[in-house]
């Protein structure tokens, strides 16, 4: 294993139990899946988050669930990345995306926050947009006048929850491809 090959995968969400199963917690749900699949206990408390570390196919991996609430996700991710000396391009963020249908994935090597306050916070704390992200579709608001906060803090109906759960193996596979330096392949195979 290359000792410099360390990755941080952060799943975004809100920490209180009342937010479990909400659209905004799609990142937490995906991270929980990765932790289970890869046998990494995400139970240490530091850096304003729950985290754990392990090895995945020769890559040293730190999994993180920021407990700062969505809009301040960078306040957890920035210090943890700094502590482990993880460069921004080795920080993979899993987050919800209201522009994609439930369960659809949008994998990008970098980019703007696109109106997502969690990504905006991470960009500010990492000092740029150069970090890969796997955006997880949660569906668009049903009407333009529907309150966005009410939508993202609402729970998934059963069909949408199943669509998200069904994509978790693809999220894990895409994250491994990104760590292997094959982000383009992850995009062509799993976007959409």
């Amino acid at each position: 294993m290359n000792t410099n090959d360390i990755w941080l995968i952060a799943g975004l969400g809100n920490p209180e139990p009342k937010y479990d199963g909400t659209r905004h917690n799609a990142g937490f749900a995906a991270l929980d899946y990765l932790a289970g699949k890869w046998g990494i206990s995400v139970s240490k408390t530091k850096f304003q988050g729950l985290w754990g570390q392990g090895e995945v196919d020769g890559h040293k991996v730190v999994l993180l669930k920021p407990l700062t609430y969505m809009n301040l996700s960078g306040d957890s991710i920035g210090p943890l990345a700094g502590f482990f000396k993880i460069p921004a391009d080795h920080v993979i963020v899993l987050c919800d995306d209201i522009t994609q249908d439930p369960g659809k994935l949008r994998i990008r090597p970098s980019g703007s926050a696109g109106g997502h306050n969690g990504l905006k916070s991470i960009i500010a704390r990492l000092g740029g947009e150069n970090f890969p992200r796997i955006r997880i579709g949660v569906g668009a608001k049903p009407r333009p006048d529907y309150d966005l906060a009410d939508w993202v803090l609402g729970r998934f109906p059963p069909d949408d929850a199943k669509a998200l759960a069904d994509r978790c193996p693809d999220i894990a596979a895409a994250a491994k491809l990104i760590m292997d330096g094959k982000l383009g392949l992850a995009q062509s195979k799993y976007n959409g």
Side-chain angles (χ1 to χ4, degrees):
M1 179 173 74
N2 177 349
T3 54
N4 295 326
D5 183 30
I6 181 168
W7 290 81
L8 167 58
I9 302 178
L12 305 191
N14 289 311
E16 294 179 65
K18 69 180 181 181
Y19 296 113
D20 291 350
T22 63
R23 291 174 181 86
H24 234 8
N25 277 32
F28 271 15
L31 194 88
D32 288 343
Y33 176 86
L34 297 184
K37 180 174 178 57
W38 296 339
I40 298 174
S41 173
V42 180
S43 57
K44 296 178 185 177
T45 54
K46 199 173 177 181
F47 310 107
Q48 297 185 72
L50 282 175
W51 66 281
Q53 59 189 36
E55 188 177 319
V56 178
D57 292 346
H59 303 285
K60 188 173 179 185
V61 177
V62 179
L63 299 181
L64 171 68
K65 290 169 79 170
L67 300 180
T68 53
Y69 291 89
M70 178 65 77
N71 293 355
L72 298 174
S73 297
D75 292 353
S76 175
I77 292 170
L80 188 145
F83 178 82
F84 284 102
K85 297 179 174 49
I86 301 171
D89 66 353
H90 276 56
V91 175
I92 301 171
V93 175
L94 313 175
C95 66
D96 60 299
D97 186 345
I98 61 166
T99 69
Q100 301 293 314
D101 290 337
K104 298 290 184 190
L105 302 180
R106 187 164 155 222
I107 301 164
R108 301 185 64 205
S110 62
S112 72
H116 194 289
N117 289 330
L119 290 175
K120 193 179 301 182
S121 170
I122 297 165
I123 289 167
R125 290 304 299 263
L126 292 182
E129 302 173 350
N130 187 30
F131 57 90
R133 68 279 318 253
I134 300 175
R135 296 181 67 142
I136 304 160
V138 298
K141 300 185 302 180
R143 307 181 307 276
D145 63 331
Y146 200 98
D147 184 75
L148 180 59
D150 287 345
W151 179 249
V152 295
L153 296 178
R155 289 192 165 17
F156 286 107
D159 287 351
D160 291 357
K162 182 180 182 327
L164 176 67
D166 288 349
R167 288 311 298 270
C168 284
D170 292 340
I171 293 168
K176 283 171 63 172
L177 284 172
I178 292 168
M179 291 188 289
D180 288 341
K182 299 175 181 174
L183 190 139
L185 180 58
Q187 288 178 300
S188 64
K189 196 166 183 179
Y190 298 111
N191 270 353

